[in-house]
Amino acid sequence: MPNAPAADQIRLLDVQDIDLRVQQARHRRDHLPVLAQIDELTARVTDLDEARVATATKASDLRRAVQKAEDDVQVVRDRAARDNARLEAGQGTPKDLQALQAELAVLGRRQEALEDVELEAMEALDAAEKEHASAKEQVEAIEAQIATLAAERDAAWKDLDAELATLADERTAAAVGLDAGLVALYEKLRASHGGIGAAALAQGQCLGCRTVLNPGDLRDIEARPADAIVRCEECSRILVRGAAK
């Protein structure tokens, strides 16, 4: 059975206490409420950014549609203007002038239809541009929120990092001179037992797993040398005897 000075075993509980505080500080650092808020807002920005890109593409397509409609209307207008000019000048035979009048009527209907297309395209473009502007404004507003939360996160991280640095110094000081074999066993157990490798034996109870030892086991433990490293039968952690805590 491995041994280690009883005083070292008691001091090991100080190391364990610091390690738990480190573990808790790291957990707080990794699970700050603000981190979930930032993740949620970042996801919203991603969705809105996709909508912004989609509406930008849609608006670009509609601008081309509006331009084409305007060009088509202008072509008809120019043709009608030429026909009107010829009609007013009385150029051509009566039959030619009659044909011009008929063509002007067709061009008028054509122009009206094209202007309807143009108007629809312009209305669709206006709606798409408003959607794009709205998405852009929302993205900018949420990004401002994220920046504020990021500053809050960084401030919290700074405080926790300072706490962790202090704990690291305390841990180093607490572990100085401890029995190497005891520390190695503790580290191995701590890695496989949720961060707790050693616990005090108090009033017949293992404070690591809260198991109350039976009288026979207690008598057996009490009979062992003070420097014997005792393990809890239930959780296998190091049981530290004679600790004040």
Side-chain angles (χ1 to χ4, degrees):
M1 179 177 296
N3 299 320
D8 282 11
Q9 294 187 46
I10 292 174
R11 285 178 54 202
L12 183 63
L13 291 179
D14 292 331
V15 175
Q16 175 66 86
D17 178 65
I18 294 169
D19 284 340
L20 279 177
R21 288 158 59 196
V22 168
Q23 185 173 310
Q24 291 162 358
R26 286 175 176 165
H27 184 273
R28 293 199 306 276
R29 192 185 193 283
D30 293 339
H31 296 84
L32 289 171
V34 71
L35 296 177
Q37 292 177 276
I38 290 173
D39 287 344
E40 180 182 352
L41 290 174
T42 300
R44 287 179 59 191
V45 165
T46 299
D47 292 340
L48 285 169
D49 216 33
E50 290 176 356
R52 182 180 61 81
V53 171
T55 53
T57 301
K58 182 178 179 181
S60 178
D61 292 342
L62 286 168
R63 287 190 194 96
R64 287 193 292 271
V66 168
Q67 185 61 55
K68 182 179 184 305
E70 289 175 346
D71 292 343
D72 290 344
V73 169
Q74 191 60 49
V75 168
V76 173
R77 285 175 179 166
D78 291 345
R79 179 64 179 272
R82 289 195 299 271
D83 286 355
N84 269 317
R86 290 175 58 191
L87 189 62
E88 290 172 0
Q91 299 175 353
T93 65
K95 185 177 180 180
D96 291 337
L97 296 177
Q98 186 177 4
L100 283 174
Q101 289 177 331
E103 184 175 330
L104 283 169
V106 172
L107 290 173
R109 291 192 296 273
R110 175 62 175 162
Q111 180 176 331
E112 183 177 343
L114 289 172
E115 286 175 344
D116 287 342
V117 171
E118 179 184 11
L119 180 60
E120 289 177 4
M122 291 176 68
E123 289 175 346
L125 174 59
D126 182 61
E129 287 179 336
K130 287 179 179 177
E131 288 179 22
H132 176 69
S134 176
K136 183 179 178 182
E137 288 174 4
Q138 291 181 69
V139 166
E140 291 173 350
I142 294 174
E143 285 178 340
Q145 291 179 356
I146 290 174
T148 299
L149 292 173
E152 180 182 334
R153 174 204 62 196
D154 292 345
W157 275 352
K158 182 178 179 181
D159 291 342
L160 287 167
D161 287 344
E163 179 181 345
L164 286 167
T166 299
L167 288 171
D169 291 339
E170 291 180 10
R171 212 269 191 189
T172 298
V176 169
L178 288 181
D179 181 87
L182 176 66
V183 172
L185 176 60
Y186 163 74
E187 293 291 3
K188 179 180 178 180
L189 293 172
R190 189 167 73 90
S192 59
H193 288 74
I196 301 176
L201 175 62
Q203 298 180 341
Q205 183 182 47
C206 169
L207 298 187
C209 63
R210 298 295 173 179
T211 296
V212 177
L213 280 67
N214 65 57
D217 288 339
L218 283 173
R219 284 193 298 271
D220 180 61
I221 289 173
E222 290 170 358
R224 297 179 190 179
D227 64 350
I229 297 176
V230 178
R231 303 274 293 277
C232 174
E233 292 291 339
E234 184 66 27
C235 68
S236 297
R237 295 182 175 98
I238 297 170
L239 273 179
V240 179
R241 297 166 287 166
K245 51 181 75 178

